[in-house]
Amino acid sequence: MASSTSTRVDLDGNPINAITICMIGAGGFIGSHLCEKLMHETSHKVLALDVYNDKIKHLLEPDTLPWHGRIQFHRLNIKQDSRLEGLIKMADLTINLAAICTPADYNTRPLDTIYSNFIDALPVVKYCSENNKRLIHFSTCEVYGKTIGSFLPKDSPLRQDPAYYLLKEDESPCIFGSIEKQRWSYACAKQLIERLIYAEGAENGMDFTIVRPFNWIGPRMDFIPGIDGPSEGVPRVLACFSNNLLRGEPLKLVDGGQSQRTFVYIRDAIEAVLLMIENPARANRHIFNVGNPNNEVTVKQLAEMMTQVYSKVSGEPSLESPTIDVSSKEFYGEGYDDSDKRIPDMTIINKQLGWNPKTSLWDLLESTLTYQHRTYAEAMKKVIGKPLASKA
Ligand SMILES: NC(=O)c1ccc[n+]([C@@H]2O[C@H](COP(=O)([O-])OP(=O)(O)OC[C@H]3O[C@@H](n4cnc5c(N)ncnc54)[C@H](O)[C@@H]3O)[C@@H](O)[C@H]2O)c1
Ligand SMILES: O=c1ccn([C@@H]2O[C@H](COP(=O)(O)OP(=O)(O)O[C@H]3OC[C@](O)(CO)[C@H]3O)[C@@H](O)[C@H]2O)c(=O)[nH]1
């Protein structure tokens, strides 16, 4: 239930006034959690824009929900819809989440990826700037590309020095591969839209905040192929590994699973976004890393941990050989490349918003895989036609 605005204050002790938010891409993974948070804990209104609404249906129906009237769904594609400017004008703040953001698309559909992450975001920036509206734009940790340390010899002691791997918003360079490595089409498009937004701030005074998420994971992320998404689709790693676990098949490690990632629980990350929404004076003109530097693992370690956690929450024994190696060419096709390591520096978000993530990797996997099992195990049983062992 929403608390009254008079009882909620910002980080400087000022009362928070209810605003209207135009949220583009509200029907996706992050959007659905952000809408939930805004409906449950604030009095803000949301104009939710997306081509799909399956992940926010529970917030839209029935009419008796306590937040009825505070969330309005508009089914539209921002590529071609004349309603976009009007909706941005109606709101105090626009949050743009819309994007193609699954790595399997970057090298196989580079044109769609570049259009989605750069061209389609242009009118949103333009309408915000022309109408003096604040914009929170979702970029990505991928704009950092590879670490400086990845170019050092494998046995160089400098690889252990944070100066060679820690990713800082205001210092680190953006290091991408060659043009034929089309993996970087996404990162490059995101980088250019960041630069454009930054320039709108510098030259035209637009109020903006740029968010760089570092592998946010949790319930409702992507889809399970053959259940609620295409059988041949390749979602992000959480859903790929969940799919393998639900099917009782080995988890596929791309190029041995040696790349490193830091994973943050979606609920922790959404707290950071709410702080940005409600503390504009502290968040405007900033770029924020949002991740959990304490949750670093190699992809191989992630697979091993997910196997253990899934066995615990499902009651099913793990396979004797729970993982299998696969080449990136076989898994993603020509033009794939990878970020080696992603540890966010937290100085800026700490200083401006006092935000820190709380949830350990084990705990976030336990709650997420409990959700995956509860949501998909029965449907999967029907698809593969084999009974699953029930929890002892
Ligand atoms: N989840 C993460 O860890 C992560 C990491 C880095 C960056 N990001 C960025 O955060 C944003 C949201 O990511 P997500 O994980 O929620 O992805 P998602 O794919 O679940 O959500 C994106 C939503 O945007 C919608 N959309 C795409 N194109 C659209 C269009 N033309 N018109 C209307 N709606 C459109 C999609 O239907 C989808 O619901 C993206 O910009 C992504 O690049 C996310
Ligand atoms: O079955 C699989 C699937 C993936 N991998 C490897 O896991 C690593 C992480 O993959 P994924 O989560 O799909 O994506 P990335 O972290 O590489 O990129 C995302 O980061 C942020 C974002 O911008 C949006 O979410 C997106 O670009 C990677 O090394 C895969 O190769 C695997 O081994 N097996």
Side-chain angles (χ1 to χ4, degrees):
M1 174 81 77
S3 46
S4 94
T5 42
S6 57
T7 60
R8 299 184 64 248
V9 291
D10 67 16
L11 291 172
D12 299 302
N14 305 309
I16 294 167
N17 297 319
I19 58 167
T20 299
I21 300 168
C22 172
M23 195 190 300
I24 307 168
F29 163 58
I30 296 176
S32 72
H33 286 273
L34 186 53
C35 287
E36 237 170 38
K37 181 88 173 170
L38 291 165
M39 292 304 111
H40 284 280
E41 293 180 25
T42 79
S43 301
H44 304 308
K45 286 189 180 153
V46 175
L47 307 173
L49 282 53
D50 206 306
V51 280
Y52 306 112
N53 68 7
D54 318 36
K55 294 183 185 185
I56 52 169
K57 268 227 164 90
H58 62 294
L59 300 173
L60 304 173
E61 295 160 6
D63 292 356
T64 48
L65 289 168
W67 48 81
H68 175 65
R70 284 204 291 117
I71 181 163
Q72 222 179 65
F73 179 67
H74 298 262
R75 192 180 300 278
L76 62 82
N77 186 332
I78 59 165
K79 273 183 191 300
Q80 67 245 350
D81 202 301
S82 56
R83 290 173 291 171
L84 181 62
E85 184 171 13
L87 289 161
I88 288 175
K89 277 186 178 173
M90 278 167 66
D92 304 288
L93 161 71
T94 292
I95 301 180
N96 190 6
L97 294 147
I100 287 177
C101 53
T102 36
D105 292 318
Y106 307 163
N107 59 314
T108 55
R109 298 168 58 204
L111 285 175
D112 287 341
T113 301
I114 294 167
Y115 271 79
S116 169
N117 284 284
F118 181 66
I119 307 285
D120 300 347
L122 281 176
V124 177
V125 181
K126 180 171 171 271
Y127 296 147
C128 286
S129 185
E130 287 174 356
N131 294 290
N132 294 317
K133 300 292 183 182
R134 183 179 174 220
L135 171 65
I136 298 182
H137 184 82
F138 272 70
S139 181
T140 175
C141 57
E142 283 217 12
V143 295
Y144 294 110
K146 297 168 186 257
T147 63
I148 309 172
S150 70
F151 294 90
L152 292 166
K154 285 261 177 293
D155 57 354
S156 167
L158 288 177
R159 280 184 175 243
Q160 310 310 317
D161 180 342
Y164 291 84
Y165 64 74
L166 196 62
L167 302 170
K168 300 187 181 195
E169 298 93 328
D170 51 353
E171 283 181 29
S172 301
C174 302
I175 309 174
F176 305 150
S178 61
I179 300 301
E180 66 265 29
K181 296 285 184 202
Q182 298 204 73
R183 157 59 184 256
W184 303 109
S185 58
Y186 166 78
C188 196
K190 287 281 202 198
Q191 187 200 151
L192 190 53
I193 199 74
E194 276 201 27
R195 290 192 185 276
L196 184 103
I197 293 167
Y198 197 89
E200 279 291 350
E203 288 190 33
N204 295 326
M206 185 177 79
D207 283 335
F208 72 86
T209 301
I210 289 170
V211 187
R212 291 181 179 167
F214 279 65
N215 293 77
W216 300 9
I217 59 175
R220 297 198 291 270
M221 186 168 196
D222 297 338
F223 58 90
I224 298 298
I227 304 291
D228 57 0
S231 306
E232 301 308 313
V234 181
R236 286 169 285 188
V237 70
L238 174 83
C240 283
F241 285 173
S242 300
N243 181 38
N244 299 143
L245 291 165
L246 285 155
R247 288 176 190 274
E249 63 189 27
L251 282 58
K252 293 184 177 137
L253 299 179
V254 172
D255 294 337
Q258 291 312 303
S259 296
Q260 291 167 292
R261 295 288 187 271
T262 52
F263 293 95
V264 63
Y265 192 33
I266 183 71
R267 289 186 209 284
D268 288 352
I270 290 294
E271 293 277 352
V273 182
L274 187 59
L275 287 168
M276 292 174 206
I277 293 172
E278 298 189 329
N279 293 276
R282 288 167 176 259
N284 281 343
R285 310 292 168 93
H286 283 285
I287 300 177
F288 292 113
N289 286 343
V290 181
N292 188 336
N294 305 317
N295 281 349
E296 190 187 32
V297 278
T298 62
V299 174
K300 186 168 193 285
Q301 288 166 333
L302 174 74
E304 288 161 356
M305 201 185 278
M306 283 182 67
T307 302
Q308 257 183 295
V309 173
Y310 190 73
S311 177
K312 182 179 170 201
V313 302
S314 68
E316 290 164 30
S318 320
L319 295 179
E320 234 169 75
S321 307
T323 60
I324 184 172
D325 284 354
V326 52
S327 75
S328 53
K329 191 167 173 195
E330 199 185 324
F331 193 80
Y332 287 113
E334 205 68 64
Y336 182 73
D337 198 359
D338 208 354
S339 298
D340 53 305
K341 185 176 176 76
R342 285 182 186 159
I343 304 195
D345 180 79
M346 304 295 286
T347 312
I348 296 181
I349 194 157
N350 261 207
K351 178 166 170 259
Q352 294 303 120
L353 302 171
W355 178 82
N356 278 302
K358 302 185 191 90
T359 314
S360 69
L361 187 55
W362 179 277
D363 287 352
L364 77 84
L365 288 177
E366 197 164 323
S367 63
T368 305
L369 292 182
T370 300
Y371 170 90
Q372 302 287 57
H373 183 67
R374 202 178 53 227
T375 310
Y376 294 109
E378 277 306 310
M380 186 59 87
K381 196 161 70 176
K382 287 187 189 129
V383 167
I384 59 181
K386 113 175 182 282
L388 293 173
S390 61
K391 196 174 177 186

